[in-house]
Amino acid sequence: PQVCWLSPEQTAGKQKPYMYTQGQAVLNRSFFPCFDTPSVKFTYSATVKVPEGFTAVMSATSWEKQKDNTFVFKMSQPIPSYLIALVVGDIVSADVGPRSRVWAEPCLIEAAKKEYDGVIEEFLVVGEKLFGPYVWGRYDILFMPPSFPFGGMENPCLTFVTPCLLAGDRSLVDVIIHEISHSWFGNLVTNAMWGEFWLNEGFTMYAQRRISTEIYGLPYTCLEAATGRALLRQHMDATGEDHPLNKLRVVIEPGLWGINPDDTYNETPYEKGYCFVSYLAHLVGNQNKFDAFLQAYVNQFKFQSITADDTLRFFLEYFPELKEKGVDSIPGFEFDRWLNMPGWPPYLPDLSPGQQLMRPADELAELWAADGLNMEAIEAVDVTGWRTYQLIYFLDQVLQKSPLPEGNVKRLSKMYPKISKAQNAELRLRWCQIVLKNNLEAEYSKVKDFLHSQGKQKYTLPLYRAMWGGSEATRALAMETFSATAPQLHVNVQNYVKKILGLGGGA
């Protein structure tokens, strides 16, 4: 299950096959013999022979090409098994910074270079200023084929990302900040067991938003965090707040065949984890002091795998005055409650600075949802300067108010070509959802085009759900699109879509 073999039609170039591995959480045991637990770290080397016309790359600190198309890799820093990754395909690279290059199929390399030139170094420098030295040497990005089902995978030295990040206008480059933040939280300091996945993801979300605040300012970061909080709300409403998976410390109970930690994956470790780290910062009450603590934490536990108990013990030792005050057992906010009780986070960081960006978006969505459109008021709002998350927030509000009165969406589409003709995948997803919810048949082709262009799970499943839950016409569109695109989708995604369409997904 770890090794994904793609036929030529599942790649961007459609000429040659492609192979990649995806180790997280416990799949690398099917690729090579290993202690497949994040509690064990080791260095590795590998020799990979590939056919003529193909290139191999791995998550390694050094590599060289020898004769006979043989590649030799070494990872000189200890890492857990899930971070070992290999790709073999028709791929080329281009430099985009002093320690970064992009890798992609030849047909995507120009777009990748243009999008990321000079961008990564800025993110790395801010990360180093906040969290300490970047120890992995290189930070390269590999743009996967369109059928890659995930957003990104933080393999050290070589992050795998979806080609959906190539928006053409750099409007999604900040997505990579999350993967860069894993260089310190996850890859360097690692959760010792998958039941405490929040140690990887909660700290990474916090780090990502610290970097984002330094570069883009607090209002924008608060708006992005509000989008994340809305996803957590949706997830908890769907599963029920008291679901055992909505704890930070998840009990992964082995049944007859054990359990796959991947089945416990959801928004909770990310967004509730972020809230807990924000709560610790709130207890400290001073951003500079908390930043210094994070550097000390990384330095203390680098190249180790740790538990939440280790983290919290270190926090209380680092701030003895907080330990003395007994901050770990404040009623309602006990550390134990954070870890072991399911449900909504007891503390939410203040996102009100984001209001200055949310308010105009809320008001504009109200105007578009009205029965008689007040075009004068609508035209008075200039959206040309809005950044991605402000537009996303606006579209989310429009979607919530949909279906809009007859004709409104058609006018909206004409008025904002930046939205309705966007190449940005996050905007495309939401525009397609609005088109379906409002039965705007004239633009169904956009839904089809988007599903033909990529196979990312996060975009593909919601659109099939929307089509299947809609009219006869959208159901027909779903069937027609799936039968045309199924061969280019990852097998898991194929099975999830079959389930949605009642086609009986495979095993």
Side-chain angles (χ1 to χ4, degrees), residues 61-295:
T61 40
S62 72
W63 65 282
E64 55 168 309
K65 186 178 177 181
Q66 300 184 336
K67 58 179 190 306
D68 298 338
N69 229 25
T70 299
F71 295 83
V72 179
F73 301 95
K74 274 195 184 67
M75 170 45 93
S76 54
Q77 317 272 29
I79 58 170
S81 55
Y82 73 90
L83 289 175
I84 293 184
L86 165 70
V87 160
V88 179
D90 179 12
I91 51 174
V92 290
S93 68
D95 285 329
V96 292
R99 45 184 162 172
S100 304
R101 57 172 85 92
V102 287
W103 290 90
E105 293 179 60
C107 60
L108 288 179
I109 195 70
E110 271 314 302
K113 183 174 165 54
K114 208 171 121 210
E115 199 87 353
Y116 280 88
D117 211 3
V119 169
I120 295 169
E121 187 61 22
E122 181 186 10
F123 297 157
L124 286 173
V125 166
V126 175
E128 288 189 300
K129 188 183 96 183
L130 290 169
F131 314 120
Y134 176 77
V135 302
W136 307 100
R138 296 202 64 82
Y139 186 89
D140 291 1
I141 304 183
L142 173 64
F143 288 90
M144 300 294 278
S147 59
F148 185 60
F150 314 103
M153 179 61 214
E154 67 274 10
N155 303 309
C157 309
L158 185 69
T159 286
F160 290 7
V161 293
T162 169
C164 294
L165 295 190
L166 299 175
D169 57 2
R170 296 196 166 185
S171 55
L172 284 177
V173 292
D174 52 353
V175 173
I176 207 74
I177 298 176
H178 181 85
E179 308 307 332
I180 284 175
S181 300
H182 273 304
S183 307
W184 293 273
F185 304 98
N187 296 7
L188 195 50
V189 180
T190 308
N191 49 231
M193 47 194 177
W194 291 118
E196 296 192 332
F197 186 46
W198 78 273
L199 280 178
N200 278 13
E201 294 301 346
F203 275 90
T204 293
M205 293 303 293
Y206 188 85
Q208 166 199 323
R209 287 170 181 155
R210 279 295 294 119
I211 294 175
S212 166
T213 299
E214 293 288 302
I215 295 175
Y216 302 116
L218 191 57
Y220 184 68
T221 303
C222 287
L223 178 60
E224 184 274 322
T227 315
R229 188 179 294 177
L231 289 173
L232 180 66
R233 185 71 270 172
Q234 274 170 23
H235 159 71
M236 287 206 178
D237 287 347
T239 55
E241 274 193 29
D242 51 2
H243 193 286
L245 289 185
N246 293 331
K247 295 194 279 202
L248 288 183
R249 185 182 275 150
V250 178
V251 181
I252 299 181
E253 289 283 11
L256 181 60
W257 300 106
I259 184 170
N260 185 349
D262 279 344
D263 296 339
T264 68
Y265 173 89
N266 61 52
E267 306 294 340
T268 298
Y270 291 80
E271 294 296 344
K272 189 175 178 178
Y274 165 72
C275 289
F276 189 21
V277 181
S278 301
Y279 176 64
L280 298 177
H282 164 75
L283 289 174
V284 174
N286 174 310
Q287 188 66 61
N288 291 339
K289 278 188 184 165
F290 192 71
D291 288 349
F293 159 73
L294 289 176
Q295 273 208 34

Side-chain angles (χ1 to χ4, degrees), residues 369-418:
D371 265 334
L373 288 179
N374 179 348
M375 289 314 288
E376 198 179 331
I378 287 172
E379 281 162 12
V381 183
D382 178 18
V383 300
T384 51
W386 288 13
R387 292 179 54 88
T388 304
Y389 277 101
Q390 200 171 6
L391 292 169
I392 286 173
Y393 182 81
F394 166 65
L395 292 179
D396 281 343
Q397 304 314 306
V398 170
L399 183 61
Q400 276 175 18
K401 297 176 195 308
S402 290
L404 302 186
E406 189 67 32
N408 285 20
V409 175
K410 204 172 160 184
R411 288 199 69 173
L412 196 150
S413 172
K414 209 181 241 142
M415 175 107 182
Y416 306 130
K418 179 183 173 176

Side-chain angles (χ1 to χ4, degrees), residues 303-430:
F303 302 117
Q304 297 178 47
S305 301
I306 63 170
T307 64
D309 291 340
D310 298 323
T311 300
L312 296 171
R313 194 178 309 118
F314 182 72
F315 174 78
L316 292 171
E317 280 163 14
Y318 188 89
F319 295 109
E321 68 283 8
L322 293 180
K323 186 178 185 173
E324 219 164 279
K325 268 170 81 185
V327 294
D328 54 341
S329 49
I330 297 169
F333 301 95
E334 299 91 344
F335 289 1
D336 184 67
R337 177 195 171 120
W338 273 103
L339 294 175
N340 298 311
M341 293 277 289
W344 194 243
Y347 168 87
L348 295 170
D350 172 23
L351 303 181
S352 60
Q355 281 300 332
Q356 66 183 77
L357 299 173
M358 289 182 224
R359 206 171 298 112
D362 278 324
E363 287 164 2
L364 188 60
E366 283 290 337
L367 288 169
W368 278 107
D371 265 334
L373 288 179
N374 179 348
M375 289 314 288
E376 198 179 331
I378 287 172
E379 281 162 12
V381 183
D382 178 18
V383 300
T384 51
W386 288 13
R387 292 179 54 88
T388 304
Y389 277 101
Q390 200 171 6
L391 292 169
I392 286 173
Y393 182 81
F394 166 65
L395 292 179
D396 281 343
Q397 304 314 306
V398 170
L399 183 61
Q400 276 175 18
K401 297 176 195 308
S402 290
L404 302 186
E406 189 67 32
N408 285 20
V409 175
K410 204 172 160 184
R411 288 199 69 173
L412 196 150
S413 172
K414 209 181 241 142
M415 175 107 182
Y416 306 130
K418 179 183 173 176
I419 292 174
S420 59
K421 294 195 167 80
Q423 282 309 297
N424 176 317
E426 294 286 335
L427 298 179
R428 284 176 85 176
L429 165 68
R430 286 161 175 87

